[in-house]
Amino acid sequence: MKQGFSALLLSMALGFVASGASAQDKTVKIGVLTDNSGLYSDLGGVGSTLAAQMAIEDSGLAAKGWKIDLISADHQNKPDIATTIARQWIDVDKVDIFMDVLNSGVALAVNNVVKEKNSILIDTGAATSDLTNAQCSPNTIHWVYDTYMLANSTGQALVKAGGDTWYFLTADYAFGAALERDTTAVVQKAGGKVLGSVKHPLNSSDFSSFLLQAQASKAKIVGLANAGGDTTNSIKQAAEFGIVAGGQKLAGLLLFITDVHSLGLNVAQGLNFTETFYWDLNDGTRAFAKRFSERMKNKAMPSMVQAGVYSGLIHYFKALEAMGGNPHDGAKAVEKMKSMPTDDQLFGQGSIRVDGRKIHPAYLFEVKKPSESKGPWDYYKLVGTVPADQAFRPLSESVCPLVKK
Amino acid sequence: MQALYAQLLVGLINGSFYALLSLGLAVIFGMLNIINFAHGAVYMMGAFVAYFLLNLGGINYWWALLLAPIIVGIFGMILERTMLQWLTGLDHLYGLLLTFGIALIVQGVFQNYFGSSGLPYAIPDQLKGGMNLGFMFLPVYRGWVVVFSLVVCLATWFLIEKTQLGAYLRAATENPTLVRAFGINVPRMITLTYGLGVGLAALAGVLSAPINQVRPLMGADLIIVVFAVVVIGGMGSIMGSIITGFALGVIEGLTKYFYPEASNTVVFVLMVLVLLVKPTGLTGRAA
């Protein structure tokens, strides 16, 4: 007891002495910048903020004297709004780290602000592989997935299965362009051919015109280089126009569990796609998902974007602890994170590469038939696993300036 | 060439949604002088009511076509009685702001409870499948949408322009005091008219539920286009909004074929062009 008391006194004294030095500063401010109201709000949104809250609670840092604040905002899928919020968060609110930031256009814009102001971005929502390639930054980590990985796993698997001619339905912004570009490269490398593509405006409700063009192309695979509500509407209307019944195969290049839930198994059954997280993968993911869904409205299971927010923050907290305090220096904290192996119950063991790419396995899933599903949110069958070292763009192909060759 | 026919037909299908929605807007504007920004929200409510009827009450699509417009129409009439009627005689702007606020609240509540990705609603068994027209595969359901909306549009036009009830209505908007002198309950008629306009939007919502996901923002995405349709057609003109609705659907369809990136903006470009040449819209009367 006496020892404990003197240790407390000592630590208080040390804390007092060190309070001027930033390395011992134990305050952190986390900003979840996401889509709270638009077409991606189910896969990020309030679920991402909840995941961040859970990460703070699970880190146990509060008991060790840390003070961690969490704020969130809606970027409305608009890069200009996002950068305004980002600047205010850094300059006025003193936010240390940005989480989620889904929508590729928004992410690329925030990426620049974060680099300029030496803050931190752990992006779990945006897909564009440019974040760790041409536009990589010492302040950014791309956590969950990217367009290269999606193309590499889903694209390759489909070409191997005989889908050698493709036609793309592409969302007309940074993400769609990146996904189409990366998938085209994979298809062509595997000996396949891209017959054409049509770019549709973001957040369209009617896809019949575009689907008719895809149908007329007679391509074996209709690749959906879109996401969220755009993907669910494309899939639903493709069924209506007899695309699959007519012998063409639909490739949802980016599909989230919330999309499958929204479509229902009757429409979604048989779809193949890639994710890096599924709630029913193992004991660790199930335990997290159960706690998450109990606190979510509608008892929704976490998407890979939301899981990424949790996992990314857990690693960030470990790095802060290892540094003994918050240096409030983005590049320095990211460097520390890169130097430590990642390990959590959601994504397993992994690492962060020099270009900011977080590395872990990717999983090929197929959506179950209604008869195979045992209950709510039981949607996926695991078809294959792409090992961590093969899932993402190899450093040898990278044009990221951080990669020394 | 074949692909072009297909796009024309698809345009016509979308046009039928525009027509149904802009028809309701035109009826409300023509009779109540209110720019009903809540129209997208009640369209969305129509789809949601159809979803609830099916999933909570086991009531199928065909009954939903009848019941959803009635239920949402009653909601509309309550709105009119409790809020909108106090705006009689005030500037258009007040109605616009009030209904816009109502739309935001309704959409917000639905989004809070049901998220953004939407709920599934299947095509009824009798309308599943499709037929090969030679130049395209036409889903039976889409064909049904065109035929059904045309019938509803024409019936509404007939009701307002050709029947005695319609004549009372039109007279009541021109000179309510005189019509009241004939012993006709004008406020009740106005309420019923708002209910009719809202019911038409809800009907479009039920029609769209099997094609699109039932989403809280489905109306918000559509309403701006529909307003452009009404403005181009001429505010308050019944036939103008029906014809413009179908025509703009077709023009949008063609844009999706020739230059898809512009398909979301072509309607507004047209609106600017029409307003430059004829500020009252194509069929609108000068104020």
Side-chain angles (χ1 to χ4, degrees):
Chain A
M1 184 65 201
K2 203 174 175 188
Q3 249 182 351
F5 185 67
S6 53
L8 184 71
L9 268 183
L10 185 67
S11 68
M12 276 170 71
L14 278 176
F16 185 73
V17 171
S19 63
S22 61
Q24 294 295 310
D25 180 8
K26 292 193 169 176
T27 59
V28 187
K29 192 145 190 183
I30 296 158
V32 176
L33 186 56
T34 183
D35 174 4
N36 273 331
S37 58
L39 78 170
Y40 301 145
S41 59
D42 278 357
L43 55 101
V46 288
S48 286
T49 312
L50 171 61
Q53 184 62 43
M54 289 173 70
I56 295 170
E57 291 162 11
D58 292 359
S59 71
L61 286 183
K64 294 176 188 163
W66 288 72
K67 187 176 174 303
I68 304 171
D69 285 327
L70 174 68
I71 55 173
S72 82
D74 184 359
H75 60 49
Q76 299 173 38
N77 291 304
K78 294 186 178 109
D80 51 334
I81 292 182
T83 48
T84 309
I85 297 173
R87 284 177 194 284
Q88 191 198 320
W89 273 8
I90 298 171
D91 294 340
V92 182
D93 299 307
K94 307 293 174 208
V95 163
D96 291 295
I97 181 168
F98 288 72
M99 299 301 299
D100 185 315
V101 194
L102 45 71
N103 183 319
S104 293
V106 167
L108 290 170
V110 171
N111 185 43
N112 284 333
V113 178
V114 163
K115 187 178 175 187
E116 176 197 323
K117 305 247 178 202
N118 193 24
S119 184
I120 305 172
L121 166 63
I122 296 188
D123 202 302
T124 67
T128 177
S129 62
D130 290 352
L131 272 179
T132 57
N133 199 32
Q135 305 211 37
C136 74
S137 139
N139 299 75
T140 294
I141 302 175
H142 203 183
W143 203 267
V144 180
Y145 69 103
D146 64 32
T147 50
Y148 182 94
M149 180 278 277
L150 297 170
N152 196 33
S153 33
T154 314
Q156 207 152 43
L158 286 166
V159 178
K160 265 187 198 153
D164 53 0
T165 51
W166 285 61
Y167 189 94
F168 288 102
L169 253 66
T170 305
D172 192 15
Y173 74 109
F175 150 68
L179 188 49
E180 183 186 330
R181 177 197 66 205
D182 289 348
T183 313
T184 301
V186 167
V187 170
Q188 284 170 345
K189 200 173 160 194
K193 227 170 116 182
V194 175
L195 302 180
S197 75
V198 57
K199 288 195 166 38
H200 66 76
L202 177 66
N203 209 5
S204 293
S205 57
D206 180 65
F207 287 86
S208 43
S209 287
F210 311 127
L211 289 166
L212 283 175
Q213 291 172 53
Q215 204 167 28
S217 76
K218 304 225 167 18
K220 287 182 190 162
I221 307 277
V222 177
L224 303 177
N226 49 23
D230 283 340
T231 307
T232 46
N233 272 331
S234 322
I235 292 172
K236 193 167 180 184
Q237 291 168 17
E240 201 194 336
F241 276 86
I243 299 260
V244 177
Q248 287 172 302
K249 207 172 158 80
L250 216 54
L253 291 167
L254 177 52
L255 211 64
F256 296 91
I257 187 140
T258 43
D259 298 330
V260 174
H261 181 69
S262 151
L263 279 168
L265 290 183
N266 268 326
V267 177
Q269 59 180 313
L271 281 169
N272 287 290
F273 58 93
T274 307
E275 287 211 80
T276 53
F277 170 86
Y278 174 49
W279 71 269
D280 200 10
L281 214 50
N282 56 50
D283 289 340
T285 56
R286 276 187 288 271
F288 170 76
K290 189 166 172 283
R291 288 193 298 133
F292 178 90
S293 112
E294 277 165 3
R295 290 169 70 170
M296 263 306 259
K297 264 181 314 187
N298 298 340
K299 306 287 165 222
M301 286 295 177
S303 72
M304 64 172 165
V305 173
Q306 293 155 346
V309 170
Y310 177 89
S311 157
L313 275 179
I314 290 287
H315 189 66
Y316 173 63
F317 293 145
K318 281 182 192 166
L320 285 182
E321 243 191 319
M323 286 189 289
N326 186 357
H328 297 293
D329 178 333
K332 200 171 163 190
V334 168
E335 207 177 292
K336 184 72 191 168
M337 280 190 267
K338 286 179 183 170
S339 72
M340 299 165 61
T342 62
D343 188 10
D344 59 68
Q345 55 175 348
L346 308 192
F347 291 83
Q349 292 177 337
S351 60
I352 304 164
R353 288 193 322 207
V354 59
D355 58 351
R357 180 66 255 169
K358 156 82 158 55
I359 299 295
H360 43 233
Y363 307 99
L364 263 170
F365 291 110
E366 185 181 314
V367 179
K368 289 181 174 180
K369 294 192 185 78
S371 57
E372 294 167 328
S373 170
K374 291 192 196 77
W377 298 91
D378 177 21
Y379 295 151
Y380 294 178
K381 266 189 298 203
L382 185 64
V383 191
T385 304
V386 188
D389 56 338
Q390 290 168 29
F392 296 91
R393 185 198 314 272
L395 282 177
S396 59
E397 287 178 23
S398 174
V399 297
C400 165
L402 298 170
V403 181
K404 290 191 185 70
K405 287 189 182 154
Chain B
M1 201 61 208
Q2 285 197 339
L4 201 60
Y5 289 140
Q7 298 300 339
L8 282 172
L9 189 57
V10 164
L12 205 60
I13 296 164
N14 287 334
S16 41
F17 285 106
Y18 295 159
L20 265 184
L21 284 168
S22 56
L23 175 64
L25 274 181
V27 169
I28 291 172
F29 182 77
M31 308 292 150
L32 280 79
N33 258 338
I34 279 176
I35 300 173
N36 187 32
F37 245 90
H39 220 63
V42 288
Y43 162 78
M44 174 270 287
M45 284 173 77
F48 267 97
V49 169
Y51 174 85
F52 292 134
L53 286 174
L54 184 69
N55 289 282
L56 302 178
I59 297 165
N60 68 19
Y61 172 81
W62 303 104
W63 280 104
L65 275 182
L66 179 72
L67 293 176
I70 293 176
I71 294 169
V72 181
I74 291 172
F75 170 78
M77 288 192 265
I78 295 171
L79 272 189
E80 202 278 332
R81 268 292 147 103
T82 52
M83 296 185 215
L84 294 175
Q85 67 155 332
W86 305 107
L87 302 179
T88 317
L90 292 179
D91 192 86
H92 290 161
L93 206 57
Y94 291 92
L96 188 150
L97 288 174
L98 177 63
T99 50
F100 185 56
I102 292 170
L104 289 182
I105 292 168
V106 170
Q107 275 159 201
V109 168
F110 273 80
Q111 191 162 26
N112 192 34
Y113 281 99
F114 304 104
S116 61
S117 358
L119 305 161
Y121 191 91
I123 293 175
D125 288 339
Q126 297 89 332
L127 297 174
K128 275 201 175 127
M131 49 192 141
N132 198 342
L133 300 181
F135 59 90
M136 77 175 285
F137 177 92
L138 176 71
V140 173
Y141 187 80
R142 302 255 172 172
W144 153 256
V145 167
V146 176
V147 175
F148 184 74
S149 347
L150 254 182
V151 170
V152 173
C153 285
L154 292 177
T156 312
W157 171 80
F158 187 81
L159 177 77
I160 291 171
E161 300 286 341
K162 299 287 167 197
T163 64
Q164 199 180 17
L165 181 70
Y168 285 151
L169 259 178
R170 281 176 290 130
T173 53
E174 293 287 327
N175 193 338
T177 325
L178 189 69
V179 175
R180 204 172 288 137
F182 283 108
I184 292 164
N185 188 340
V186 174
R188 186 197 288 160
M189 219 150 89
I190 298 282
T191 308
L192 284 173
T193 310
Y194 190 73
L196 170 74
V198 165
L200 281 171
L203 183 66
V206 182
L207 278 179
S208 93
I211 302 179
N212 301 305
Q213 290 289 93
V214 179
R215 291 179 303 130
L217 294 180
M218 62 193 281
D221 302 340
L222 203 61
I223 190 72
I224 303 293
V225 179
V226 176
F227 265 103
V229 171
V230 177
V231 171
I232 294 172
M235 291 295 288
S237 161
I238 306 282
M239 205 38 139
S241 54
I242 298 175
I243 293 169
T244 320
F246 279 101
L248 281 189
V250 171
I251 290 169
E252 198 188 56
L254 292 179
T255 316
K256 280 180 179 164
Y257 179 68
F258 288 112
Y259 190 62
E261 291 90 333
S263 56
N264 271 14
T265 41
V266 64
V267 174
F268 304 104
V269 174
L270 272 172
M271 182 175 85
V272 171
L273 290 178
V274 169
L275 290 182
L276 278 176
V277 180
K278 199 164 182 285
T280 51
L282 290 176
T283 57
R285 295 156 293 199

